[in-house]
Amino acid sequence: MDIITVLIIAVGILQLPLVIDVLRNVFPHLNIQRITQDYASYFLFSLVVTVYSGFMYLFFSAYLYVKAEQPYTTVNGWIHIFLACYFCIVSFFHYTYACFHDPGAAPLVMPNFHVDYPVCQKCNRIKVNTTRHCKVCNRCICLMDHHCPFTFNCVGLNNFYYFTSFLGYAWCGMTFATYMTFSSFMGCMIGLTDYKAALPESTCANLGKNAIVVVPILTLWVAIGTLLAFQVLCLFCNVSTLDFSILFRQSNPMRKLWYKFRTMEFLQENSRMKVLYLDRRNYFWQHLLPWPIEDFPCCY
């Protein structure tokens, strides 16, 4: 099995948890069950590693030479190498932390131990205004946004930053990958003369059917871009994904969202945008680095 077939299959399987989650919300009467087994999360993570490895292999073995004939001796070549490696490393770092970092589970109350806060009857954890109980994880999560089918982890106070940063960097990476592969696809697979004439000699012969890799890249570009746009919308409206789904079932949901945006709730001191994202770094340039953030206490 060649690399392009593996990539297409892997990208297709990666869409499955998202499709299941969408169907569960759109058609609740179908009683579709989430994939929640522990082994599935490791399988999904291995697929992500496969996709990253496959894209980087194709970049260094074929597509780098399409944009720079002498990539290791020219500035143009090293710029392309830097961008590919940067987007790969930074997005994979944030995805790993979004998967395996504690999202901000509320403190567990020990038996016969008195606390001044309400206690969740389902998981025996402290329950304050900012916590929500996750049915999948069976625990209360501080500032819970949603349980992500793509990371098999809740997205909350201490990993929302990693989740949204992954979406942002992965989308930028897919945009860069589209730029690297689109002209080769149009010239070699579609056969458009203008695109083919602009390619270096023997490009089509070297790429072969690997030129079709732009198809899974565009699939990921659309999927990740949609998720990113939705998270940005929620941040500017100061609502979580769960809040959005509840609000959308009510009357005039768009008017209510517009009111939240128009009143600029996202600029308030304890808004979701400030607590979950902007306040997690001391300086703007730190957002550009693959570096862990400090966890906030759940009672934040």
Side-chain angles (χ1 to χ4, degrees):
M1 189 180 295
D2 55 27
I3 185 68
I4 191 65
T5 305
V6 171
L7 282 175
I8 291 174
I9 293 174
V11 169
I13 296 175
L14 285 175
Q15 309 300 313
L16 186 60
L18 181 61
V19 171
I20 291 175
D21 215 48
V22 170
L23 290 176
R24 286 181 73 255
N25 286 280
V26 176
F27 305 106
H29 61 280
L30 295 180
N31 198 27
I32 301 173
Q33 298 299 313
R34 267 197 179 109
I35 303 172
T36 58
Q37 291 82 358
D38 289 340
Y39 68 82
S41 62
Y42 294 105
F43 174 69
L44 187 68
F45 186 79
S46 66
L47 285 179
V48 173
V49 173
T50 300
V51 170
Y52 271 92
S53 303
F55 284 155
M56 292 304 290
Y57 170 78
L58 289 176
F59 171 79
F60 281 105
S61 65
Y63 284 99
L64 178 57
Y65 297 93
V66 174
K67 298 298 181 181
E69 293 187 29
Q70 301 293 330
Y72 298 104
T73 58
T74 60
V75 174
N76 179 48
W78 279 106
I79 289 175
H80 283 81
I81 293 171
F82 169 78
L83 289 175
C85 293
Y86 175 74
F87 288 131
C88 177
I89 293 170
V90 178
S91 62
F92 185 73
F93 167 84
H94 286 100
Y95 175 73
T96 302
Y97 265 78
C99 288
F100 301 112
H101 193 70
D102 177 24
L108 186 64
V109 179
M110 302 303 292
N112 302 320
F113 188 80
H114 175 73
V115 293
D116 295 327
Y117 296 98
V119 177
C120 178
Q121 298 301 312
K122 298 177 182 177
C123 64
N124 207 37
R125 293 177 182 271
I126 291 177
K127 193 171 184 68
V128 293
N129 292 335
T130 59
T131 61
R132 268 186 169 149
H133 183 81
C134 175
K135 296 178 181 178
V136 181
C137 296
N138 194 30
R139 57 180 178 171
C140 284
I141 305 296
C142 191
L143 283 179
M144 179 178 172
D145 187 80
H146 67 290
H147 185 93
C148 180
F150 188 59
T151 63
F152 282 87
N153 193 12
C154 275
V155 178
L157 175 64
N158 289 324
N159 70 344
F160 182 89
Y161 177 88
Y162 299 119
F163 177 73
T164 50
S165 294
F166 158 70
L167 291 178
Y169 282 113
W171 186 80
C172 290
M174 289 299 101
T175 302
F176 176 74
T178 302
Y179 152 76
M180 292 293 298
T181 58
F182 185 76
S183 59
S184 300
F185 174 77
M186 298 300 289
C188 301
M189 300 299 292
I190 305 300
L192 296 182
T193 307
D194 291 343
Y195 285 96
K196 195 168 186 176
L199 296 173
E201 246 180 278
S202 72
T203 295
C204 294
N206 293 335
L207 288 177
K209 62 181 180 180
N210 287 338
I212 204 173
V213 73
V214 73
V215 175
I217 287 174
L218 284 173
T219 302
L220 287 175
W221 184 80
V222 172
I224 295 172
T226 302
L227 292 174
L228 177 62
F230 176 74
Q231 287 299 326
V232 171
L233 171 66
C234 287
L235 282 175
F236 276 99
C237 293
N238 198 35
V239 296
S240 67
T241 300
L242 294 176
D243 293 332
F244 183 90
S245 63
I246 294 172
L247 193 65
F248 209 73
R249 296 188 183 101
Q250 300 174 1
S251 59
N252 299 320
M254 299 310 296
R255 180 179 296 178
K256 294 175 181 177
L257 287 174
W258 171 247
Y259 174 79
K260 285 178 170 291
F261 174 76
R262 186 167 54 86
T263 54
M264 295 189 176
E265 290 185 12
F266 61 90
L267 294 179
Q268 294 175 5
E269 185 62 29
N270 289 323
S271 68
R272 294 180 61 83
M273 181 177 287
K274 281 183 170 290
V275 174
L276 295 175
Y277 201 84
L278 295 180
D279 290 349
R280 305 316 290 262
R281 298 290 193 187
N282 294 326
Y283 303 99
F284 176 79
W285 59 267
Q286 293 175 334
H287 291 283
L288 305 177
L289 301 177
W291 197 260
I293 59 174
E294 181 182 356
D295 287 350
F296 284 163
C298 185
C299 58
Y300 185 88

